[in-house]
């Protein structure tokens, strides 16, 4: 495992990222900064651009506009949302873990032990349950001894008990190694409870800040109207526009209701945390 970081500069700093693909605007002026040893969570509805943002941050896609700066020597461990493996492909967990890089059996066992599944080393990948597969994917991400863990829906296909275990495991690893964590998830309650910062995305950054701040933000509540925010402190934020569930922006008229005009911003999206 990596030693905790002594350098406090951002692991990753993305400024004003816009992305267009196939003539469609997917991301609009998104800014994200990931400090070491902190957990940042990107939340948003389906189609909000969460996975696209990760691909840009990882360097897999080039943004149409904006810039992504990564700390020199940054090592990233990536855990994808889904992994399609042909059911007839003879692939053991051991072989799967070493597809991208060689590692001795002892090291593979150590990482599997860390995520609680050393007994799976020689099992066929196709025989794994959803929870087992997520742990194996996490072990693979740790093989690179990352400074930054990037996790796309890490509890995908896992039952509610298993989800809590996965998130606790991620938090334990972060505390032990000092790595930063950037996570995309729709499991709002579980991930927001352990986050240092939450970025609410709907093509652009709707709001960002600590979990209790974002949970009380009107745009978060508009996007997730059934979310239970009991027990989380009230957060107020001056705003002169609202966003509907389709991402459309409407100015507030004198009565505080949304009109059908363009967007007049009362704040700069994605820059720092909201004022309290």
């Amino acid at each position: 495992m990596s030693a905790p970081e002594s350098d406090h500069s951002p692991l990753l700093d993305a400024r004003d990222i816009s992305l267009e693909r196939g003539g469609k605007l997917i991301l609009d002026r998104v800014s994200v900064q990931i400090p070491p040893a902190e957990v940042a969570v990107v939340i948003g509805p389906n189609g909000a651009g969460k996975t696209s943002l990760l691909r840009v941050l990882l360097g897999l896609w080039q943004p149409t506009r904006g810039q992504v700066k990564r700390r020199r020597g940054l090592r990233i461990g990536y855990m994808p949302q889904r992994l399609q493996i042909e059911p007839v492909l003879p692939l053991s967990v051991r072989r799967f873990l070493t597809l991208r890089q060689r590692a001795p059996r002892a090291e593979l066992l150590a990482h599997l032990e860390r995520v609680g599944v050393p007994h799976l080393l020689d099992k066929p990948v196709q025989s794994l349950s959803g929870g087992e597969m997520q742990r194996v994917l996490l072990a693979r991400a740790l093989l690179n001894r990352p400074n930054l863990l990037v996790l796309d829906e890490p509890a995908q296909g896992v039952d509610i008990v298993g989800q809590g275990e996965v998130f606790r495991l991620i938090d334990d690893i972060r505390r032990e190694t000092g790595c930063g964590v950037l996570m995309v998830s729709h499991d709002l309650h579980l991930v927001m409870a352990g986050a240092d910062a939450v970025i609410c995305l709907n093509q652009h950054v709707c709001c960002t800040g600590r979990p209790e701040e974002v949970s009380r933000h009107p745009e978060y509540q508009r996007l997730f109207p059934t979310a239970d925010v009991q027990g989380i402190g009230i957060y107020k934020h001056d705003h002169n526009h609202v966003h509907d569930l389709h991402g459309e922006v409407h100015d507030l008229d004198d009565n505080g209701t949304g009109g059908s005009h363009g967007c007049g911003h009362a704040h700069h999206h994605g820059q720092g945390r909201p004022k309290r």
Side-chain angles (χ1 to χ4, degrees), residues 28-48:
D28 182 18
R29 295 170 295 156
V30 174
S31 295
V32 176
Q33 188 178 90
I34 311 299
E38 290 196 6
V39 178
V41 175
V42 179
I43 61 171
N46 291 335

Side-chain angles (χ1 to χ4, degrees), residues 5-270:
E5 296 286 344
S6 57
D7 183 355
H8 298 292
S9 64
L11 299 172
L12 185 149
D13 190 2
R15 298 295 178 96
D16 296 321
I17 297 298
S18 292
L19 177 68
E20 297 178 14
R21 291 180 71 88
K24 180 181 178 182
L25 182 63
I26 299 173
L27 298 172
D28 182 18
R29 295 170 295 156
V30 174
S31 295
V32 176
Q33 188 178 90
I34 311 299
E38 290 196 6
V39 178
V41 175
V42 179
I43 61 171
N46 291 335
K50 301 186 297 295
T51 296
S52 296
L53 176 61
L54 288 194
R55 289 172 179 165
V56 170
L57 298 179
L58 291 168
L60 302 175
W61 288 357
Q62 289 300 311
T64 307
R65 289 178 295 278
Q67 185 179 34
V68 180
K69 293 183 180 179
R70 301 173 189 88
R71 184 196 283 184
R72 184 183 297 275
L74 180 66
R75 299 185 304 276
I76 296 176
Y78 175 55
M79 183 174 168
Q81 181 179 149
R82 298 183 186 87
L83 197 64
Q84 296 292 337
I85 298 175
E86 291 294 329
V88 296
L89 184 66
L91 187 65
S92 68
V93 168
R94 179 180 181 180
R95 175 64 180 142
F96 170 70
L97 290 175
T98 55
L99 285 175
R100 294 186 304 178
Q101 62 187 83
R102 288 180 172 272
R105 181 184 178 90
E107 183 177 351
L108 298 179
L109 272 173
H111 284 292
L112 289 174
E113 176 76 39
R114 181 62 196 86
V115 300
V117 288
H119 59 285
L120 297 179
L121 182 62
D122 297 310
K123 296 286 188 182
V125 170
Q126 293 86 349
S127 70
L128 305 184
S129 68
E132 288 172 337
M133 189 64 200
Q134 295 308 93
R135 288 171 184 262
V136 168
L137 287 172
L138 182 56
R140 186 179 70 155
L142 293 174
L143 278 174
N144 195 34
R145 301 183 183 276
N147 313 107
L148 175 63
L149 268 177
V150 179
L151 313 171
D152 192 356
E153 297 284 5
Q156 182 85 15
V158 183
D159 63 32
I160 189 67
V161 174
Q163 289 174 10
E165 292 174 352
V166 168
F167 290 127
R168 280 192 294 274
L169 178 59
I170 292 167
D171 188 57
D172 287 345
I173 290 168
R174 189 263 302 182
R175 293 176 185 276
E176 290 171 9
T177 67
C179 71
V181 177
L182 175 60
M183 187 186 313
V184 161
S185 185
H186 66 276
D187 300 294
L188 305 179
H189 304 292
L190 287 168
V191 297
M192 287 180 67
D196 296 297
V198 176
I199 301 110
C200 187
L201 187 71
N202 194 19
Q203 280 76 53
H204 66 282
V205 176
C206 299
C207 51
T208 182
R210 292 195 296 268
E212 65 271 19
E213 295 172 333
V214 171
S215 295
R216 290 294 184 181
H217 198 286
E219 293 179 14
Y220 170 88
Q221 294 180 355
R222 186 175 292 274
L223 288 172
F224 302 104
T226 60
D228 180 9
V229 295
Q230 285 186 338
I232 299 177
I234 293 175
Y235 163 63
K236 296 183 181 295
H237 184 62
D238 293 329
H239 220 328
N240 71 345
H241 69 274
V242 296
H243 303 256
D244 64 24
L245 291 176
H246 304 289
E248 296 295 326
V249 183
H250 305 280
D251 286 344
L252 293 176
D253 60 25
D254 292 337
N255 295 321
T257 59
S260 58
H261 310 294
C263 177
H265 293 273
H267 68 287
H268 186 72
H269 287 303

